[in-house]
Amino acid sequence: MNRLKIYRACLAGALLVSILMMGFYVRWYVRTQIPDVVRVGVGDEQTLDLGLKEVSVRVVERKRVIPGGIPIGIYLETEGVYVVGTGEVEAADGLNYEPAYQIVQAGDYILAVNGRQIHDKDELIDCVQANKSEIMILKLLRNGQVIKVRVHAVETKEEDFKLGVWVKDDIQGIGTLTYLTEDMRFGALGHGITDTDTGELLEASGGSLYDTNILEIIKGEKGTPGEISGMITYSERHIRGMINSNTAAGIFGVTDQRTRSELEAEPVEVSFKQEIYRGPAYIRSAVSGELKNYQIRIQEIRLNEDDVNKGMIFQVTDPELLELTGGVIQGMSGSPILQNGKLIGAVTHVFVNDPTRGYGIFAETMLSAEE
């Protein structure tokens, strides 16, 4: 009899666990696989068998863009200088001090010192040396708010003065142009430019696109992402456009007619994310030196993924691209993804343990971020 009771209790427990697991699965499915908002083109009819969730359907004009794929040199100007962190300073008396501790924080932007605007690290150093150990008023940008703090520098054995603040200013790198509109506006990268130390999205005051030449392809391997090694030509006559904003969905701005002629492509429609399906697609890239399409396969679509840069998962299947790069490598971020002749998204990240697989952002998300 006791055995029968134990058996029934085990069955009841197993049933309860199964119901809970099913509940979690349904909740996950509704949240990630069914969109909160569905955009449809004017005149289009969409039949969505959602059942478990109400979806807002918005009628919007279907956009057309020119797919990119060419490498670009990126120079991003930050607001003031960006604070990476603070640390101790060995003073002239032989003791260690941390003058900026709990006053200046990682992620802050130093905009001015005693009313003098700061544009780069050299200007900050000049201000600190000029003020010596006197109290300084720093104007900071912190979490979107401007604040002022008081701090004083420490004199070192070398008879100079330090705040104990690690900073960096402008950012440079290589990425890929995703699309170009008829009025010469561009979207690129598919993800924001963040600080490598803090992971925070950088506040941009402006920036430029420059000509770049690919010098070497470092092939990706399991556990070691590959990369594009190139040379960016920083001169006025090699400027290709201006960066207006740095967002979580990419960088945006205006480019020139030379870029338009280099793309050699006609405008294509931008797919709404509910139109994308698992199956064959293409990455458009000039990683080989020639702008061409490479075969991939869309494996997973996440319509409501919290991370906008991971709306889809794909795998590179093209033998030529696998031979050249091993799959997805750094510098390919922003490479447009096309399916059925429409732009559906852009490459954002690679799977470190499997360079043949990567994440993509929806093109619809990029254009919404630009607006």
Side-chain angles (χ1 to χ4, degrees):
M1 191 67 180
N2 288 336
R3 287 185 179 179
L4 183 58
K5 287 182 178 180
I6 294 172
Y7 178 68
R8 286 175 177 172
C10 290
L11 285 179
L15 179 60
L16 180 60
V17 170
S18 299
I19 291 172
L20 288 173
M21 291 180 64
M22 180 62 71
F24 282 120
Y25 173 77
V26 170
R27 186 168 178 267
W28 170 84
Y29 184 87
V30 169
R31 187 174 64 84
T32 64
Q33 302 301 307
I34 299 178
D36 293 317
V37 176
V38 176
R39 295 176 175 86
V40 298
V42 176
D44 284 358
E45 292 184 6
Q46 296 287 338
T47 302
L48 299 175
D49 183 14
L50 302 180
L52 296 172
K53 180 178 179 180
E54 289 185 4
V55 174
S56 171
V57 178
R58 296 177 186 168
V59 179
V60 298
E61 182 181 354
R62 187 180 288 275
K63 292 181 170 56
R64 295 175 65 85
V65 297
I66 301 152
I70 59 175
I72 48 173
I74 299 167
Y75 185 90
L76 188 72
E77 300 169 6
T78 61
E79 294 275 0
V81 294
Y82 182 76
V83 177
V84 177
T86 62
E88 293 183 343
V89 176
E90 185 178 354
D93 60 9
L95 299 177
N96 291 331
Y97 300 90
E98 192 170 351
Y101 179 67
Q102 291 189 337
I103 300 173
V104 180
Q105 300 177 6
D108 287 348
Y109 293 83
I110 301 176
L111 305 180
V113 176
N114 290 345
R116 176 183 168 183
Q117 194 169 358
I118 300 297
H119 299 93
D120 55 41
K121 291 183 290 187
D122 291 337
E123 288 185 355
L124 177 61
I125 292 170
D126 290 343
C127 282
V128 173
Q129 300 310 312
N131 283 277
K132 299 185 177 180
S133 59
E134 297 293 323
I135 292 291
M136 285 175 279
I137 306 299
L138 302 186
K139 182 180 179 182
L140 306 177
L141 178 64
R142 177 179 296 168
N143 299 324
Q145 294 186 330
V146 175
I147 62 172
K148 291 183 178 180
V149 299
R150 296 162 60 90
V151 66
H152 65 86
V154 171
E155 185 176 6
T156 69
K157 292 179 179 179
E158 292 77 21
E159 298 185 348
D160 59 3
F161 296 85
K162 294 184 178 180
L163 288 176
V165 176
W166 297 98
V167 298
K168 62 172 65 173
D169 40 33
D170 300 339
I171 307 296
Q172 305 91 32
I174 294 176
T176 300
L177 189 77
T178 304
Y179 66 81
L180 185 64
T181 63
E182 291 285 10
D183 57 355
M184 309 306 291
R185 291 178 294 110
F186 74 83
L189 285 187
H191 61 74
I193 298 176
T194 60
D195 178 68
T196 53
D197 296 296
T198 66
E200 296 292 325
L201 187 71
L202 294 172
E203 293 279 348
S205 61
S208 303
L209 300 186
Y210 287 90
D211 287 330
T212 185
N213 295 313
I214 296 176
L215 302 178
E216 182 184 8
I217 300 295
I218 301 174
K219 194 171 180 179
E221 298 178 355
K222 184 177 180 179
T224 307
E227 64 177 328
I228 296 173
S229 176
M231 180 179 69
I232 302 173
T233 308
Y234 294 112
S235 69
E236 279 200 24
R237 69 189 188 92
H238 290 284
I239 292 178
R240 307 195 68 146
M242 307 304 295
I243 300 171
N244 295 331
S245 60
N246 174 39
T247 76
I251 60 172
F252 303 96
V254 180
T255 186
D256 57 17
Q257 186 59 44
R258 184 162 59 95
T259 302
R260 169 68 183 92
S261 60
E262 186 176 337
L263 293 178
E264 299 179 350
E266 294 302 316
V268 300
E269 289 186 348
V270 176
S271 280
F272 298 119
K273 55 187 177 182
Q274 74 271 12
E275 298 173 331
I276 304 168
Y277 58 88
R278 295 180 180 87
Y282 295 91
I283 288 177
R284 187 169 174 80
S285 174
V287 68
S288 68
E290 177 186 357
L291 193 58
K292 59 195 301 184
N293 291 338
Y294 296 99
Q295 298 172 355
I296 64 170
R297 188 168 190 83
I298 306 297
Q299 295 183 321
E300 188 176 335
I301 301 165
R302 301 173 170 183
L303 296 179
N304 275 333
E305 172 64 40
D306 292 334
D307 188 339
V308 297
N309 309 126
K310 297 180 179 180
M312 64 183 97
I313 296 175
F314 65 87
Q315 184 164 33
V316 176
T317 58
D318 194 287
E320 183 179 348
L321 187 59
L322 290 171
E323 177 63 28
L324 179 64
T325 65
V328 181
I329 59 175
Q330 295 175 12
M332 286 178 67
S333 292
S335 298
I337 303 174
L338 298 108
Q339 190 177 65
N340 284 344
K342 297 179 181 180
L343 181 69
I344 66 171
V347 174
T348 57
H349 298 88
V350 61
F351 280 59
V352 175
N353 291 324
D354 184 0
T356 69
R357 301 176 73 209
Y359 289 105
I361 185 174
F362 297 121
E364 178 185 339
T365 302
M366 287 189 70
L367 268 80
S368 295
E370 180 191 7
E371 294 169 358

